[in-house]
Amino acid sequence: MHVVIADSSQTVLNVISKQLVGNGNTVTSFSDGGQALEYINSDEHFDILLTGLELSNVSGLELCWAADTRNQAAKPSYVIIMSSHSDVDKLIEALDSGADDFLRKPFVEGELLARMRAAERTLQAQRELVRLASTDPLTGVANRRTFFAQVGNALQSQKTQDTAQMLMLDIDHFKKVNDGYGHDAGDDVLREVSRVLSEYGLIFGRLGGEEFAAFMSNASIQEAFQKAEEMRQSVAALKIDFRDIQITVTCSFGLAQQIPDDNVDSLLKRADQALYAAKNDGRNKTIIWGTKHHQTTVEDAIYQD
């Protein structure tokens, strides 16, 4: 586990670090509360925050609040407050501020490592709950709720308009797979298509049934069109083994470019309209929103009806 330690005493930091590293943990330590807060607020991963109450610049309670904010953003961590205070009010305040446990100084031999083990068990359970709530149970990719949240955050962080692109896609004639080979075969197809498309490193999720969506931030329409074509060809090249047969499928893609005041719903709606056009135009192709027919070059496709 990765443990962040914050304490004003360098001696305490050295003693705890030695114990934790000796038991296979990774440790990042801070004697300055401000530096610890900056680290917690970053995207750096850690599992446990072990902090004293009395720190320079920023208090241990403020570190608890910051860690609690990470938890609410589905980045579970476990917080243990360390203090030599015997004041019960201090303990209550720490727990109310987001701490999960309390460790009194000086430590009883073996207590620190026992609390680390308890923390690890709790974290495993919390992270499993987050995984179940945020992923599609069949394919393991982001579910609809998570995809919408991720795209919403990405749109808010966009520095300029018209640099984000939404791809919506579904598997062509998927009902024929289920009807012809059974739902187990359909499940295998969904899993394999998800696996291949999730490898492109985009924000990607299953919206439901055979429908998926992908989002590209800070990308031009040309780059998004090329990416969609690469993804489409990757799916078409799949040979999915099911019992004694091989199943092949294709996907149709609809592409929409961000416009001013877009939100997730409006951007996805236009991508869905483009997807509908792609399916009506013969399937297994990419159409950009606002075009009448499939375009072989993206330059010909950038206009609105």
Side-chain angles (χ1 to χ4, degrees):
M1 290 189 297
H2 183 186
V3 184
V4 173
I5 310 173
D7 197 272
S8 57
S9 168
Q10 191 61 51
T11 300
V12 169
L13 292 176
N14 292 340
V15 170
I16 295 176
S17 296
K18 184 177 180 180
Q19 286 191 52
L20 294 180
V21 171
N23 279 270
N25 299 287
T26 300
V27 172
T28 302
S29 62
F30 299 94
S31 58
D32 180 272
Q35 293 176 355
L37 180 62
E38 183 178 347
Y39 188 88
I40 292 169
N41 286 333
S42 71
D43 288 331
E44 295 290 342
H45 169 79
F46 67 90
D47 300 295
I48 297 174
L49 170 64
L50 191 61
T51 179
L53 286 172
E54 303 80 22
L55 297 167
S56 58
N57 299 319
V58 170
S59 72
L61 294 180
E62 290 177 85
L63 299 187
C64 289
W65 299 332
D68 190 50
T69 299
R70 286 175 63 105
N71 289 343
Q72 294 173 21
K75 297 178 180 178
S77 59
Y78 194 91
V79 180
I80 301 176
I81 285 285
M82 305 178 292
S83 180
S84 57
H85 283 289
S86 57
D87 188 348
V88 175
D89 290 339
K90 286 285 186 182
L91 170 59
I92 294 172
E93 187 177 8
L95 295 173
D96 286 342
S97 298
D100 300 289
D101 202 355
F102 186 85
L103 188 60
R104 192 176 304 283
K105 300 176 184 177
F107 309 132
V108 176
E109 185 176 358
E111 182 180 8
L112 173 62
L113 297 180
R115 292 186 185 275
M116 291 293 111
R117 291 191 292 271
E120 185 173 14
R121 292 192 296 271
T122 300
L123 276 175
Q124 287 174 347
Q126 289 176 340
R127 287 171 176 164
E128 178 62 12
L129 288 175
V130 169
R131 186 191 68 80
L132 292 173
S134 62
T135 60
D136 173 59
L138 176 64
T139 63
V141 301
N143 60 21
R144 184 185 186 92
R145 177 176 175 272
T146 302
F147 178 78
F148 269 64
Q150 291 174 342
V151 174
N153 291 336
L155 285 175
Q156 288 180 358
S157 66
Q158 283 288 121
K159 295 181 180 179
T160 59
Q161 297 285 354
D162 70 34
T163 60
Q165 319 293 336
M166 180 72 79
L167 296 170
M168 190 167 176
L169 59 129
D170 73 10
I171 301 171
D172 297 326
H173 301 298
F174 182 69
K175 186 175 184 299
K176 290 184 178 179
V177 175
N178 280 330
D179 291 347
Y181 304 110
H183 288 278
D184 287 346
D187 288 349
D188 281 357
V189 168
L190 289 169
R191 279 189 287 261
E192 277 299 289
V193 169
S194 298
R195 179 188 62 79
V196 168
L197 296 182
S198 63
E199 291 175 352
Y200 280 85
L202 308 181
I203 296 176
F204 178 74
R206 183 184 179 197
L207 302 184
E210 67 270 29
E211 287 190 335
F212 300 85
F215 177 82
M216 296 178 66
S217 58
N218 300 314
S220 68
I221 190 72
Q222 289 86 355
E223 291 170 330
F225 183 84
Q226 180 178 355
K227 185 69 67 176
E229 285 292 280
E230 291 173 3
M231 295 167 76
R232 183 182 63 80
Q233 292 164 15
S234 293
V235 172
L238 273 174
K239 290 180 172 50
I240 301 162
D241 292 320
F242 179 72
R243 297 173 185 168
D244 58 346
I245 61 172
Q246 282 190 330
I247 300 173
T248 59
V249 294
T250 60
C251 281
S252 298
F253 284 74
L255 171 59
Q257 182 171 1
Q258 180 190 17
I259 60 176
D261 300 322
D262 251 338
N263 56 32
V264 183
D265 286 314
S266 60
L267 186 53
L268 192 63
K269 181 179 180 179
R270 295 200 311 281
D272 188 32
Q273 291 170 348
L275 170 61
Y276 183 79
K279 297 187 83 68
N280 279 346
D281 197 37
R283 294 183 170 84
N284 190 24
K285 59 186 60 178
T286 301
I287 282 187
I288 300 173
W289 178 80
T291 61
K292 294 180 180 178
H293 303 288
H294 173 57
Q295 305 295 327
T296 56
T297 61
V298 71
E299 288 78 8
D300 296 332
I302 306 172
Y303 68 89
Q304 295 183 8
D305 291 334

